[in-house]
Amino acid sequence: MAAKILVVDDDANVQRLLQYTLKQEGYDVVVASDGAEGFRLWGAEAPDLILLDVMLPKLDGYQVAAKIRSEEGSATHVPIIMLTAEREVEQKVRGLRAGADDYLIKPFHPAELLARIKSLLARFAPRESLLARPPLGRILAFYGAKGGVGTTTIAINAAIALHRELGRKVALVDGNLQFGDHRVFLDLGLDRKSIVDLVTAPSIDKDLVRQVMVKHDSGIDLLLAPPTPETAELVHPEHLPVIAAELSSLYDYTLIDIDKRLDDVNLGVFEAAETIFVVMTADLSCLKNVRLIIETIDHLGYPADKIQLVLNRSNAFTGINVKNAEGALKRTIEHQVVNEYRGAISALNSGAPFMFTKADSVLGASLLQFARAVDKPIAAAAATVPSR
């Protein structure tokens, strides 16, 4: 059965263009010319996806999205793509916070629209088709070879990419216990619950974990670091492996962002993780640290493939190219993320990760490629499972 798409736009020319484009692809199309009619047709027609203009008579797009989200209940979720002429990040974030799942800036190419529609329809397929699949339960550690290499940026945006672009259920843990930055980078206050609420409880179980996780507007769930450095001492080495095990039963992916200390806490994370992504840049001090990390992992008796190297700012000129770096390390660098320092810093300072607000940027495309590589073993395994 063809998917039904509700187009809510007061411009007759845009209506005609979207109707033609969507019908050519085999979709059923329902059209509304104002926000109130769009909201009514959402209830009457039960569309599979909504294309929602921002500037509308009666109710604007933000109001329509918010009303739909407040009334649809937890069992259903109609994906919404917001259509806007505004290029400001604040406007995009406002739409996403109102309940939109994606946005497109007018004018846009029909091919991009269709690609985003197909991605959202796949991500929000009816739940009954997903019930037979248990959570993937993969635990991944992100470890910086030295400070300032972008480990937290990659961990946050990889988590968002795995969820928003690949449809995975993702938990992100800020394991930088004394000076975690996730609150700042994700624009969250000190009043949010944290890992301290878990480790100070009589016991750690799934129900408590669910209560402590913080939902981000991007759709990922967060376990935040302690709100102050002194409370970090409440987290003991045995806590994170236990928490990771509980999270692995609730989420497809648990990403743990840890600092560069090789202490008992981080070694516990190494033990729990399926893969350790060591984030690095192409400079001598970083290469020296990576060699020490590889030797440490070997001495601990872990297999060599437990580590994967992620070269951040791979196209930045440092005098050491990828081939030279691999020669110095005597091993392959599995992943590369491009250098776009201005875009990354702007996203961090605004508290809006680029995979959330600028996924179509060069940096977003590079991070999505990394997320797909991370997810590839699971995607390949799923493709080999015969359909019933």
Side-chain angles (χ1 to χ4, degrees), residues 92-167:
K92 299 172 188 175
V93 172
R94 184 183 173 191
L96 293 165
R97 286 181 172 169
D101 299 285
D102 205 347
Y103 62 86
L104 272 175
I105 298 172
K106 297 178 179 179
F108 48 79
H109 195 283
E112 182 180 8
L113 171 68
L114 293 171
R116 295 193 181 216
I117 287 173
K118 290 174 183 176
S119 175
L120 283 175
L121 288 175
R123 190 197 311 170
F124 294 103
R127 288 190 60 83
E128 56 267 21
S129 66
L130 303 176
L131 290 178
R133 192 202 74 184
L136 297 173
R138 299 182 71 195
I139 300 171
L140 311 177
F142 285 74
Y143 177 87
K146 70 173 188 177
V149 296
T151 310
T152 295
T153 295
I154 288 178
I156 289 173
N157 287 282
I160 294 173
L162 285 166
H163 173 67
R164 292 183 64 82
E165 304 297 332
L166 302 180

Side-chain angles (χ1 to χ4, degrees), residues 282-293:
D283 60 82
L284 286 177
S285 63
C286 204
L287 291 174
K288 179 261 296 180
N289 287 357
V290 172
R291 288 178 63 178
L292 292 174
I293 294 162

Side-chain angles (χ1 to χ4, degrees), residues 15-274:
Q15 288 180 8
R16 284 193 291 270
L17 175 62
L18 291 176
Q19 279 186 295
Y20 175 80
T21 300
L22 296 171
K23 287 183 176 180
Q24 285 288 100
E25 288 293 310
Y27 295 116
D28 288 338
V29 184
V30 182
V31 177
S33 297
D34 62 64
E37 178 69 0
F39 180 71
R40 187 190 70 79
L41 286 177
W42 162 72
E45 296 287 342
D48 298 292
L49 182 141
I50 300 174
L51 298 178
L52 180 61
D53 189 32
V54 169
M55 303 301 293
L56 292 168
K58 299 184 180 179
L59 294 173
D60 65 29
Y62 305 124
Q63 292 172 307
V64 174
K67 281 175 68 67
I68 289 173
R69 293 295 179 240
S70 68
E71 294 195 15
E72 66 182 349
S74 59
T76 60
H77 180 99
V78 58
I80 297 174
I81 299 178
M82 198 79 87
L83 307 179
T84 175
E86 298 287 346
R87 292 184 174 271
E88 296 297 323
V89 170
E90 291 80 6
Q91 300 299 320
K92 299 172 188 175
V93 172
R94 184 183 173 191
L96 293 165
R97 286 181 172 169
D101 299 285
D102 205 347
Y103 62 86
L104 272 175
I105 298 172
K106 297 178 179 179
F108 48 79
H109 195 283
E112 182 180 8
L113 171 68
L114 293 171
R116 295 193 181 216
I117 287 173
K118 290 174 183 176
S119 175
L120 283 175
L121 288 175
R123 190 197 311 170
F124 294 103
R127 288 190 60 83
E128 56 267 21
S129 66
L130 303 176
L131 290 178
R133 192 202 74 184
L136 297 173
R138 299 182 71 195
I139 300 171
L140 311 177
F142 285 74
Y143 177 87
K146 70 173 188 177
V149 296
T151 310
T152 295
T153 295
I154 288 178
I156 289 173
N157 287 282
I160 294 173
L162 285 166
H163 173 67
R164 292 183 64 82
E165 304 297 332
L166 302 180
R168 303 304 191 186
K169 189 175 183 183
V170 180
L172 176 63
V173 179
D174 190 349
N176 291 273
L177 299 175
Q178 285 192 313
F179 300 102
D181 286 324
H182 291 203
R183 291 176 192 271
V184 176
F185 291 172
L186 294 166
D187 194 23
L188 300 168
L190 289 174
D191 58 331
R192 304 300 185 100
K193 291 183 177 181
S194 76
I195 191 172
V196 172
D197 295 280
L198 282 180
V199 301
T200 54
S203 62
I204 298 172
D205 58 31
K206 291 180 180 61
D207 289 337
L208 180 61
V209 169
R210 290 190 184 99
Q211 293 170 26
V212 172
M213 299 301 286
V214 174
K215 175 72 73 175
H216 185 253
D217 292 332
S218 64
I220 64 172
D221 289 348
L222 307 166
L223 181 59
L224 296 172
T228 59
E230 58 269 21
T231 53
E233 296 179 5
L234 297 170
V235 183
H236 301 156
E238 66 271 15
H239 284 138
L240 274 171
V242 171
I243 293 168
E246 294 291 353
L247 289 171
S248 70
S249 68
L250 298 172
Y251 294 89
D252 295 332
Y253 284 95
T254 298
L255 278 61
I256 308 177
D257 173 25
I258 56 178
D259 59 29
K260 62 186 181 66
R261 294 177 298 177
L262 286 174
D263 58 9
D264 289 341
V265 171
N266 284 353
L267 291 177
V269 174
F270 284 1
E271 178 69 29
E274 170 189 321

